[in-house]
Each structure stands twice: as C-alpha cells, then as structure tokens.
Amino acid sequence: MVWFNEAQHYLMERDFGERIAAAVRTLLSDPKRAPVLVLGTLWPRYWDALTALPNRESAPYPQARELLAGRQIRVADAFTRRELMAATRVASSDDRLALALSQASDGRITQFLAGAPDLVGRYEHAPLAARAVLDVAVDAARLGCSGHLPQSFLEQASAGYMSEDAFDTVGDEWFGQSLAYAARPVHGNIVPLRRIRIRPGLPAEGEPVYRLADYLQQYGGQKRRHLCPPASFWEAALRTLSDVADLRALESAAERRWRLRHAYLLGRAADVLLSEVAVEQGEASAVPGPRHMIPADPDWPADHFKCRALADLALGHERNAERGEATALAFQAADCCQPDALAVLALMRERAGNRTDAAYLAHHAAARGAPHCLAELALAREAAGLCEEAEHYAWEAAQYGLTHVLAILAKAREDRGDVVRAELLWELAAERDHAEAHGNIARLRVRDDDQYGAEEVALEAANRGLAARQPYGFAPLWVTRWPHGIEPDGSPTASWARA
C-alpha cells in the first residue's frame, strides 16, 4: 500500500512530480506486482489543477492527469447516521475519535480530526496584524508561490494589509506577536503558519521560512479569490523572494490582473536571478526549462490494456444493439481508468435519439473523469434546436471547469439578436471564471452606454486574474481604457518605460 498524504506535495513537485505520477502508473499497470493499493488526499483546487485539460498553450501535469482519471472518490462533508453508529463502536478504543464524536457538529468528524474548525477559528478571529500576516500567506499560495515563504516577505508585505491608522495602533512588536499567534498549535500538532526547516540556500541562508496550513490555503484562497493583493505584496516579492519559480508565478498572476508594471518588474527580477545562476554554474544549461517539459521515458506506461479491452467490448455491444451489456461493460471500464467509454456510449445514444440514456451516461462519465461529455451533449442539444437543454448541460459542464460551451452559446444568442440571453450566459460563464466572459459583458455594457458598469466589470476581471490579453476578436475594455495597466489599488497606471 502507498499512502500520499496531501498528494499535491508529490504530484505537483516542480522537478519530480511528473516522474512520481509516471512511476505510480507503472506500478498500477504491472500485474506482476498486484495487489497494490494507492491512496492519496487532495483538496479540490489541487485536483482541478492536476486534472485540467490541455489547451493551446500548455498541457499541465499530463502524467498526473492520466493517473487520476476515473479514480476520484469524493469525501463527504459529514458522516451519515450509519457511519456515526459504526464510528461510535470503534471509539471505545480510540480516544481521538471519541472526542470528535462528542464535539464535532453535524457529523463533521473528518474536519474535526483534521483541525479544520480550529484553524478557521484562529484565522477568522486573529488580531488585526496576525490576520494581515496570514492573508499574505494565503495570497502567496493562491497566486502560485511555493510553500516556502521567507520571514522578510511576510513582514514587508503584511504591513500594507493594514490601514495607516490601524498600523499606528499595533505596537512595535506587532510582527513577532503575529508570528507567535500564527504558530501556536490549534489541534494537536497543527498550526496555521509553521516555521519549516529547509535545505541550505533556499532562500537566503539563515532566514526563517514558513508554510501555511493546507486547509487554510483552501479556505482562505476561496474566501480571497476575487481580491488583488495590495502594493506592499508585490513590492515585498520584488525585494525578498529569491525563487525563480515563485517570481514567474507572481509575474503571471500580476499580468492576469492587468498589473502590467509589476508583472514586468517581477519578470525582470526572475531573468536576473536566472542569469546569475548561469554565471555561477558556467553554462547555459544551468537555466531550467519549463517545469513540465520532461523528456519521454521508455518506462512510462501505456494505457491500461484491460480497461481498454472492456471499453472496446462495450462499444462492440453497442453497435450490435446489445445496450444492457454495453452499459455494464462501459461502467466497468470507467470504474477502472477509462471513463471515456461511458462518454462515447452517451454520445452514441444521443445520436440514436435516446436522450434520456445519453444524459444518464454523460453525468456518470463526468463524475468519473470525463466531463467533456457534458459539453458535447450541450452542443448536440443546441444543434437539435433544444436551446434550454443545451444551456442546462453547458452549465453542468461548467461545474467541472469546462466553461467554453457557455461562451459558444452566448455568441450564438448574440448572433441571433438575443442580447439579453447572451449577457446572461456570459454572466454564468463569469461566475465560473471563464477568461473571455468579463470582456464580453463589458463590451455589451459599453454598447448599452453603461460606461460605469462596463469599467466595474473590467476591474472585477482584473482583480480576479482574468484580464490577460486574450484572442477575443476585439480589444477588451482593460486594454483600451488602461493601456499601461492598473495599480494594485485599481487606479490607472501612468505611462512607464520598460528598462
């Protein structure tokens, strides 16, 4: 049995994550090594990142995506009544479980054992300065920084998270007191912000480095997802961060938020660090390439042959009109590692006019790792003139991160002259952070002469990280109104020159 606690630390590791995923796939596909059980835990945002579909710019985590496809087991928010009864029987010999059963509310046993309620309480009720420090760590994590945050970065960035009047009241020892508050255990050995030991040289030797608790990354990141960090965050990053990958991540985050001046400065800082590394090592190869450009490895596994065979058999039975056998085999294949078997079957039923079966199979395919089926189902219903059903399945697909169908339908409605319906679909896509949605909503509001509303939408897009240059076919409002970018506080950036 292999256990990956917080599996993102393995599968998203910069240098070896893809090789780890490939090795696990090899292990699982080798019948000579059976039986093998691999268990791991992932927060939803990491699952989404690892299983994201490739696009024209990149194919992130291809090995991890193949490893995880069809293998998701969602952990319920609460224990059922039957599970609580079973846990009560076991609790007689497990003091921690007995405590959880006596104190956890609404059956939320897992969260209690993980210290989640106490972590959230410590975060939500933190004194002003301590909350600022924790918010800096949350923002760094959600914008793509590694878990290794230098003390100097936390101190310099967090000062700008407090107003001038508030900062004057916190006292001279505010930062040390804030670290002590954040480092105090809340549940066993769980702390909101832990000082970690790190290999010498990463970052500057001798400087303490901290990691935010995983649950707070998830909770705080969700709570602050639509906020742009203040100027002190970006300026502290420029002064204190010495990890090239962190600087690149923040460069990208700044550009997506239309903070173009800071994006340029962060990119230049990363370039300087890379050139220094190259000089120190005396060779151009010292400059690392993109972290997922790993050469092909002959030991990486092919597709799981048994599951492929089950999928092929399912399709054969479907072509012979043996639908019961086809469905059963497709579920077997999907429960292993071939969810596309259900997806293909769903679309075959759709083309045959069996729309009820198609919808049933498509939802099961999506739940097992093939959500593209819902998107294709939406397009099929649109082609058949079933517009309301098309919009329904487009929204279902968007729940899995596939927002492009909502955009396709919005454009179709606008082409037909139904601007009201088009804007509604763009707003639904915007709720799921579709990159093009805000630009189009702003465009429609400009057309309706709602200049204030249009700028408000454009600023929201920037703050949410959706304002990068996109191939829209038109110039988004943030490009035309703020050609030099905007500052962290949302004010237009004055003309500036690239050094």
Side-chain angles (χ1 to χ4, degrees), residues 42-249:
L42 280 168
W43 295 107
R45 72 187 186 98
Y46 295 123
W47 176 275
D48 292 342
L50 287 166
T51 58
L53 296 174
N55 53 43
R56 286 174 294 182
E57 288 77 30
S58 64
Y61 309 109
Q63 288 294 326
R65 187 173 66 254
E66 291 297 323
L67 172 66
L68 298 175
R71 295 190 168 106
Q72 184 183 50
I73 301 173
R74 292 185 178 272
V75 178
D77 288 339
F79 277 31
T80 64
R81 180 175 298 180
R82 179 176 294 181
E83 289 166 342
L84 286 170
M85 292 174 62
T88 301
R89 291 193 293 270
V90 177
S92 60
S93 58
D94 189 325
D95 292 340
R96 292 186 68 227
L97 184 56
L99 181 64
L101 287 166
S102 66
Q103 296 190 18
S105 61
D106 301 323
R108 297 170 68 86
I109 305 299
T110 306
Q111 294 88 332
F112 183 90
L113 292 172
D118 291 334
L119 279 172
V120 170
R122 181 67 61 83
Y123 175 73
E124 291 290 359
H125 300 113
L128 180 67
R131 177 61 180 266
V133 172
L134 289 171
D135 280 341
V136 170
V138 167
D139 285 347
R142 71 186 176 91
L143 298 187
C145 285
S146 66
H148 301 69
L149 301 176
Q151 180 173 301
S152 57
F153 169 70
L154 293 170
E155 182 174 11
Q156 293 181 36
S158 57
Y161 281 64
M162 296 175 275
S163 68
E164 291 291 337
D165 290 341
F167 187 71
D168 288 340
T169 66
V170 294
D172 294 338
E173 303 300 320
W174 68 271
F175 184 66
Q177 293 169 354
S178 297
L179 285 182
Y181 176 90
R184 195 164 69 245
V186 297
H187 188 89
N189 195 34
I190 300 172
V191 298
L193 191 66
R194 180 186 299 278
R195 180 173 176 177
I196 60 176
R197 300 179 66 181
I198 190 170
R199 294 185 182 93
L202 291 175
E205 285 190 36
E207 181 173 12
V209 179
Y210 294 83
R211 179 194 292 277
L212 185 68
D214 289 296
Y215 187 79
L216 282 187
Q217 290 185 32
Q218 175 73 17
Y219 176 84
Q222 182 68 14
K223 186 166 185 176
R224 295 182 58 81
R225 69 188 185 281
H226 295 161
L227 301 177
C228 180
S232 64
F233 178 92
W234 308 102
E235 291 161 5
L238 284 166
R239 288 192 295 265
T240 64
L241 296 186
S242 58
D243 185 295
V244 173
D246 286 351
L247 289 170
R248 289 292 189 214

Side-chain angles (χ1 to χ4, degrees), residues 446-470:
V446 167
R447 193 169 79 172
D448 293 339
D449 204 27
D450 181 6
Q451 302 296 329
Y452 176 79
E455 288 198 2
E456 190 176 42
V457 170
L459 182 58
E460 181 186 356
N463 288 339
R464 291 171 68 163
L466 301 171
R469 295 178 176 87
Q470 300 287 340

